[in-house]
Amino acid sequence: MTESSPSLDGASGDSEGVFAWSIRPSLGRPGAMVFAISTIIIMSSLIAVMGGDWIWGALSAVVLFLTSSRFFLTSRISISPEGIRAEFPLKTRFMAWSEIEMIRHDRSAALIRLRKRRFRKAETTILFNDTAHQALESMIRFAPAGLVEAVDP
């Protein structure tokens, strides 16, 4: 079984060393997209029937879509000498290199763990596919030594 990869809307590198790309996972995985949409429709229909009004079904469809927005909508990620900027559909996060505790990556994604904030640690996952090599080169070039580590060799 072959695994479909997320589709890339574009990748760019400019003269200042900033590397950026856009990714929309649902386009690269049509089977998963059909499954997700079907699940949202079925669950929303059940909630509408159980709630006795179509408004409950519509509200649940909106909530379910919003919780999976990173799968359906485009995310933009850029790596610069200052840090990593991730623009997700519902939020934008800038992570300065000084705030990042660890970056673990494989060929399709990177887990970024930030230093402790109050009582918890924040983590963010960024996806890459065809841009993996260039993104990892940029991370290694700009990140402090020992910050970026591979999960699988």
Side-chain angles (χ1 to χ4, degrees), residues 7-28:
S7 75
L8 296 169
D9 293 334
S12 67
D14 63 22
S15 60
E16 297 175 5
V18 175
F19 181 73
W21 71 97
S22 297
I23 189 162
R24 189 172 179 184
S26 62
L27 293 180

Side-chain angles (χ1 to χ4, degrees), residues 22-44:
S22 297
I23 189 162
R24 189 172 179 184
S26 62
L27 293 180
R29 302 180 65 194
M33 182 172 56
V34 168
F35 178 76
I37 291 171
S38 300
T39 301
I40 290 172
I41 291 170
I42 290 169
M43 295 303 293
S44 298

Side-chain angles (χ1 to χ4, degrees), residues 26-114:
S26 62
L27 293 180
R29 302 180 65 194
M33 182 172 56
V34 168
F35 178 76
I37 291 171
S38 300
T39 301
I40 290 172
I41 291 170
I42 290 169
M43 295 303 293
S44 298
S45 299
L46 286 173
I47 290 170
V49 168
M50 291 172 44
D53 195 357
W54 66 270
I55 195 74
W56 293 113
L59 182 62
S60 67
V62 169
V63 169
L64 289 171
F65 179 79
L66 290 176
T67 59
S68 56
S69 64
R70 283 184 64 183
F71 178 72
F72 289 111
L73 303 175
T74 302
S75 297
R76 292 171 182 79
I77 296 98
S78 62
I79 302 170
S80 69
E82 291 81 32
I84 300 173
R85 180 179 186 81
E87 297 176 19
F88 301 120
L90 299 178
K91 71 176 180 178
T92 297
R93 174 175 243 171
F94 177 76
M95 299 159 281
W97 294 115
S98 61
E99 295 177 357
I100 298 174
E101 180 179 299
M102 169 204 73
I103 300 174
R104 282 197 169 150
H105 68 85
D106 60 13
R107 288 174 270 127
S108 63
L111 173 69
I112 302 169
R113 180 175 292 158
L114 301 177

